Every structure is written in C-alpha cells, then in structure tokens.
Amino acid sequence: MDLQQKQQFFEQAIDSYSRPLYAHIRSIVISHDDADDVLQNTFLKAWTKLDSYKAEASMSTWLFRIATNEALQHHRKIKLRRWFSLGTLPETKATNDTSQEISKVLENALETLSTQQRMIFGMKYFNAMKYSEIAAITNLAEGTLKATYHQAVKKIKNFVSQHEREF
Amino acid sequence: MKENFNKHIESAKGKKAAAFTDIPDGYFNALKKETIHKVTQGISPERKAFPKHNRILVAALILLVLTVGSVVIIQNRKAQTISSEKMAFNGEIISDTSRTLLFDPESVTKRSLPLQQVDSILQFELSTEEIILYLLESEEFEF
C-alpha cells in the first residue's frame, strides 16, 4: 500500500467510524473536550499502526480497541488529576439551552456508572452493537457484558427517578 | 425537563454521536481535516512516555520514603544514646554501656558463650582446695 492509498483508506475510516467512535469514547470520558482529544489520538495512533493492521480483525473492532485503550488511559489521567486537585471539578457554564441541559443530565447519569459499565453501555446503547462485537473488542464474556449492561440501565433509571425534582 | 430527557434517552438508542446534543456544528468535518493535517505533517499522538503528574507522584513517593527512613534512623540513634549509661566512681568512668550498644547484642552473646562454658568446666573439674593449694604453691601469689 503506497502513501496515497494509505491516506485514502484512512480518510474513509475517519468518515465511517468517527461518529460511533466518538459516542463510545464520550461515554467513557464524559466531556466533549476530552472525547475530542481521545478521538484525535485514536486516529493518529491508528495511522501510525496502519501498516501492522491485519485483516484478521475487522477494521471496526481494531479501531474500537484502540479507542477503548486510549479512552481508559485518558480517564485514568483525569481521575488522577482530580485526585491531585482535591476533587474539584471544572465549573460548567449555566445554560438555558434545553439540548445543552439534556447533555448535562446525560453526563451526570453516565457519571453514576463505573468505567466498565459506561464503556459497555456506550457500545450497546449508543452504537447498538451486538454483544458478540463488544466481546471481540473488550475480551469479556457475553454473560458478563449482558449483566453489566443491565446494571448500567438500572442505574440510569434510578438516577432519573431520584433527580426527578431537579428536572 | 424529565419528559424531555426521557424522550432524548429513548431516542438516543443507536444514534451514535447524535446522542450527545452539545457537539459543535461541523465538528466531524473539522476533526477529519485536522487529523489528516496532523497525519501529513507527521505529528504523532499526544503522549509523553512519563506524564508530568506521574513524575510528581514518583518524586513525592521518593521524598516520603527518604523522610520516613531518616526519621526512623534518627529515632533509633536517639534510643541508643538514651539507653546508654555511664557509671563513674570518684570521677573515673568504670562502666560505659554506649560502646556495648554499638555491637549487636546477639553476636556479643554468641561470642561470650564459649568463654562461659570454659569457666564452668574449670569450676566443676577443679575443687576449691586444689585451687587454694595451687595459689599457695605459686610464687607469684602474695597477700
């Protein structure tokens, strides 16, 4: 594969996978800015490793694996940063925009889940992936994935009912 | 608001990035351009082999270990000094335990054990009379 072919292939990959990868990353790292950093890093890493990519795994699985590793690594960094800054979170701007508020509520709901629950919920719910596809990416058993997903859904439902007054 | 959120979360199923409503317009086009630009410029993923906060953490741990170590050593030295006693008689020091404490008590005991055994053997094999007779016969012995 020459450089031009490689670039063409890469552009197609960005077109096809940037949205599902964004949703997956966003459900792990929560904020848009972090998701943006991780997504760019994912594509840059994919570019550097494109020569070593073997068609054994599908392109989607390969990219999702890179994105998962990048997102988890970034999430660990955020947690450590929060720990060093004694748990203070960056202030969010108050907004009257309903869509922004919905996103904020969604972020808060996702925050109640564990990292693994968020990761699996993101892949299953937002990307409508099959358990077999998620299992290929995460190396987890399908039974574990099902249980984790149902726990995540339950937690989000609880969050919504508990915060009913705030809405 | 709750109804809106419920509607949103229900409709977000399978919507990928569209599930998140705060993504700036034209974000994905800009992302593609930026990524292709970085790739052609040969910019590698943003990662430091050893991030700054990790370095701070390691430095803090080393400092903590050194501080704790120093405190333990100083405390140990103090304990040795306090427990050492000097006994003096008419201004002359007749016993100084501070020197003894510098030795490992176990090794001192081990070293002195054979001498004690020899002493006890002599004590049991020679009667007191024999010792007195020896002393009386000895030329060096004088009252």
Side-chain angles (χ1 to χ4, degrees):
Chain A
M1 197 190 285
D2 63 17
L3 190 69
Q4 206 178 343
Q5 276 180 319
K6 191 179 167 185
Q7 203 169 315
Q8 221 170 356
F9 180 72
F10 189 64
E11 280 184 41
Q12 280 175 359
I14 295 176
D15 283 334
S16 312
Y17 297 110
S18 56
R19 282 169 179 80
L21 285 176
Y22 176 88
H24 171 56
I25 294 165
R26 180 85 191 256
S27 57
I28 298 172
V29 298
I30 309 288
S31 87
H32 168 74
D33 292 337
D34 291 328
D36 180 35
D37 286 344
V38 175
L39 187 56
Q40 280 198 35
N41 267 1
T42 301
F43 282 126
L44 292 177
K45 199 166 186 182
W47 171 263
T48 55
K49 299 210 168 189
L50 200 58
D51 295 325
S52 63
Y53 165 69
K54 290 165 191 167
E56 285 166 9
S58 72
M59 188 72 180
S60 157
T61 307
W62 184 65
L63 282 172
F64 265 89
R65 269 190 201 153
I66 297 175
T68 306
N69 289 336
E70 289 291 312
L72 291 175
Q73 206 165 17
H74 191 84
H75 185 66
R76 275 194 288 270
K77 274 187 208 172
I78 296 168
K79 270 167 78 174
L80 203 65
R81 221 178 291 157
R82 276 185 200 171
W83 186 78
F84 270 111
S85 58
L86 300 169
T88 49
L89 294 168
E91 280 182 26
T92 48
K93 289 173 191 171
T95 174
N96 291 324
D97 186 358
T98 317
S99 67
Q100 292 271 333
E101 279 180 37
I102 286 171
S103 268
K104 191 70 209 151
V105 174
L106 185 59
E107 280 178 19
N108 291 341
L110 288 172
E111 284 268 22
T112 61
L113 309 179
S114 70
T115 313
Q116 187 169 302
Q117 284 172 340
R118 277 208 300 271
M119 181 176 77
I120 292 158
F121 181 81
M123 284 194 270
K124 182 74 188 150
Y125 197 82
F126 300 128
N127 283 324
M129 290 168 86
K130 290 176 186 165
Y131 285 119
S132 56
E133 290 174 305
I134 303 171
I137 295 161
T138 58
N139 288 329
L140 290 169
E142 285 189 31
T144 312
L145 294 174
K146 280 177 193 171
T148 312
Y149 176 71
H150 287 294
Q151 279 170 355
V153 171
K154 205 175 166 184
K155 270 191 183 179
I156 288 190
K157 278 182 182 170
N158 280 346
F159 176 85
V160 174
S161 58
Q162 275 174 12
H163 293 78
E164 207 170 343
R165 284 177 196 171
E166 293 167 29
F167 295 140
Chain B
M1 179 68 188
K2 191 202 169 189
E3 275 181 23
N4 279 341
F5 180 71
N6 279 343
K7 271 183 196 170
H8 173 79
I9 195 87
E10 276 166 33
S11 66
K13 201 168 185 175
K15 277 206 169 175
K16 302 178 175 74
F20 299 91
T21 52
D22 60 346
I23 303 168
D25 292 335
Y27 166 71
F28 288 101
N29 289 333
L31 174 88
K32 187 184 170 184
K33 276 182 192 170
E34 205 176 328
T35 310
I36 297 293
H37 173 73
K38 280 184 178 177
V39 160
T40 49
Q41 295 293 312
I43 298 167
S44 53
E46 283 173 27
R47 178 168 304 141
K48 286 171 188 170
F50 203 36
K52 196 181 173 186
H53 56 261
N54 279 4
R55 278 179 278 165
I56 293 168
L57 189 71
V58 169
L61 279 172
I62 292 169
L63 202 68
L64 186 74
V65 168
L66 287 174
T67 313
V68 170
S70 309
V71 167
V72 168
I73 290 167
I74 290 165
Q75 293 278 343
N76 204 19
R77 286 269 169 199
K78 267 186 188 174
Q80 280 187 353
T81 318
I82 291 163
S83 61
S84 66
E85 285 175 4
K86 285 180 183 175
M87 280 175 71
F89 182 73
N90 286 343
E92 193 184 344
I93 295 166
I94 55 168
S95 169
D96 184 359
T97 54
S98 63
R99 285 176 65 82
T100 322
L101 282 164
L102 292 173
F103 298 108
D104 176 18
E106 207 177 327
S107 67
V108 170
T109 315
K110 273 179 190 167
R111 235 183 289 154
S112 60
L113 206 70
L115 289 171
Q116 283 173 357
Q117 280 175 344
V118 170
D119 285 348
S120 61
I121 291 162
L122 284 171
Q123 196 183 350
F124 288 110
E125 285 197 352
L126 294 170
S127 64
T128 318
E129 283 173 12
E130 278 176 315
I131 294 167
I132 291 167
L133 277 172
Y134 168 77
L135 290 170
L136 285 171
E137 281 168 13
S138 170
E139 290 172 2
E140 295 161 26
F141 184 72
E142 283 176 17
F143 284 104

